Amino acid sequence: AQSGTVAADPQQYDQAYLSPVTIGNSQLMLDFDTGSADLWAFSNETPASESVGHAKYDSSTGTELQGYSWSITYGDQSGAAGNVYADKVVVGGVTATKQAVEAATSISTSFSDNTDSDGLLGLAFSSINTVTPKQQTTFFDTVKPTLAKALFTCDLKQGNAGSYTFGYIDTSKYTGSVTYVPVDDSQGFWSFTAGGYSVGSDNATSGSVGVSIADTGTSLLYLPAAVAKAYYAKAGGKFDNQQGGYTLPCNGNAPDFNVAIGGKTFVVPGSYIAYAPITSGSQTCFGGIQANTGIGFNIFGDVFLKAVYAIFDVSQGAPRLGFAAQ
Ligand SMILES: Cc1nn(C)c(C)c1CC(=O)Nc1ccccn1
């Protein structure tokens, strides 16, 4: 049985985390994304003008799936599209011999401009993979039958290298016990229900955060508008139309955000929520918590995930998420 671990290296401000992946004879840095289900990469089929500074998948090592194509648009309106190959993919020593690799023929500017990232490796449920005419499986679903345990874990860190594991839980990565919650995979996401919340030292959580997805491919923590409003009222922040979201002082006094999941309270340090100066050197920071307006659910992105050890587990039949403090 297979198992393995791979580094998750943070970009500036932990905007995304990149992991080394070998596809055929190409070595790329991919953004592992539990919020989508396509494995796509810059490739020899990507226009040179769109792939400056990126490592590219050389599709000559793959077997083209004739007539297949893919096209994806993410919630932030970024996107990509292209052709499909079957090729060998290796992640942290775990090998998928015939993985659907989606070679990009067109890519939106936010991806072309981010030269650290050579593509995405989707880890949501394969039911939302965009390949047509025959939907393909994610890397995790492809290797799942060969894994020691049908699960993967995520240990992201603030400003430091973290890791993903496949097939095993690294018990040295967390403190205390793991709290498991049921996952509703009907929309293809790792969706769970978060409970009450509190701001700063108030430990009595109140209200209910509600339906949420665990999404390593999203930088921030998107919460109900009322919860975001309550947080920034205590953090001395404000909604800044020009910045397109809440901003707050970078001065290190941002309160923690506490949220109950499965009856256990998890703490997002205030320092994670003073996310990044709005312009270099500014004393005003863009907020790591933003309103989920227009999204329809909460997104527990990297701002939350780097505060916990997360276990994406289908070993029990029904999918579940495990969270532990780190
Ligand atoms: C940021 C955001 N706004 N809205 C409405 C949503 C749904 C998001 C999340 C999102 O788009 N994440 C993402 C983007 C690119 C690649 C992978 N994941």
Side-chain angles (χ1 to χ4, degrees), residues 46-311:
T46 312
S49 59
E50 291 178 27
S51 46
V52 174
H54 292 272
K56 291 183 283 231
Y57 165 54
D58 173 0
S59 59
S60 66
T61 59
T63 303
E64 180 162 23
L65 304 188
Q66 295 290 344
Y68 284 52
S69 65
W70 61 282
S71 175
I72 193 163
T73 303
Y74 299 97
D76 65 357
Q77 299 316 301
S78 64
N83 302 311
V84 190
Y85 294 81
D87 209 338
K88 179 177 170 184
V89 175
V90 184
V91 175
V94 175
T95 299
T97 49
K98 282 195 177 56
Q99 171 63 38
V101 177
E102 302 171 30
T105 55
S106 68
I107 299 177
S108 65
T109 49
S110 65
F111 288 118
S112 297
D113 294 349
N114 180 357
T115 53
D116 295 333
S117 171
D118 305 320
L120 265 68
L121 187 143
L123 292 169
F125 291 86
S126 298
S127 59
I128 57 173
N129 172 267
T130 74
V131 173
T132 178
K134 195 168 171 299
Q135 200 168 51
Q136 301 297 304
T137 53
T138 64
F139 171 78
F140 175 60
D141 275 347
T142 305
V143 299
K144 190 165 60 178
T146 70
L147 292 178
K149 285 186 178 172
L151 59 84
F152 64 92
T153 76
C154 152
D155 175 29
L156 302 180
K157 294 187 174 308
Q158 188 187 41
N160 283 305
S163 57
Y164 291 96
T165 72
F166 290 88
Y168 78 102
I169 293 170
D170 184 342
T171 55
S172 72
K173 297 289 185 198
Y174 61 88
T175 59
S177 60
V178 177
T179 298
Y180 285 97
V181 288
V183 161
D184 165 13
D185 63 357
S186 63
Q187 304 306 305
F189 298 119
W190 291 90
S191 180
F192 65 100
T193 298
Y197 73 95
S198 67
V199 179
S201 52
D202 330 339
N203 47 23
T205 59
S206 60
S208 172
V209 168
V211 174
S212 308
I213 70 168
D215 184 358
T216 56
T218 292
S219 311
L220 307 182
L221 172 53
Y222 293 85
L223 297 171
V227 178
K229 186 166 188 260
Y231 177 82
Y232 288 105
K234 290 208 173 143
K238 68 177 188 337
F239 191 88
D240 180 336
N241 272 302
Q242 199 231 345
Q243 292 298 321
Y246 282 97
T247 62
L248 74 167
C250 305
N251 63 13
N253 298 337
D256 297 346
F257 178 77
N258 314 300
V259 60
I261 300 173
K264 182 118 171 293
T265 297
F266 293 91
V267 180
V268 180
S271 59
Y272 293 13
I273 302 166
Y275 176 69
I278 54 172
T279 46
S280 175
S282 169
Q283 267 309 301
T284 300
C285 274
F286 196 72
I289 286 173
Q290 293 296 334
N292 69 9
T293 313
I295 299 177
F297 45 81
N298 305 309
I299 303 182
F300 279 50
D302 300 334
V303 160
F304 172 80
L305 290 170
K306 61 191 179 186
V308 300
Y309 185 73
I311 303 168

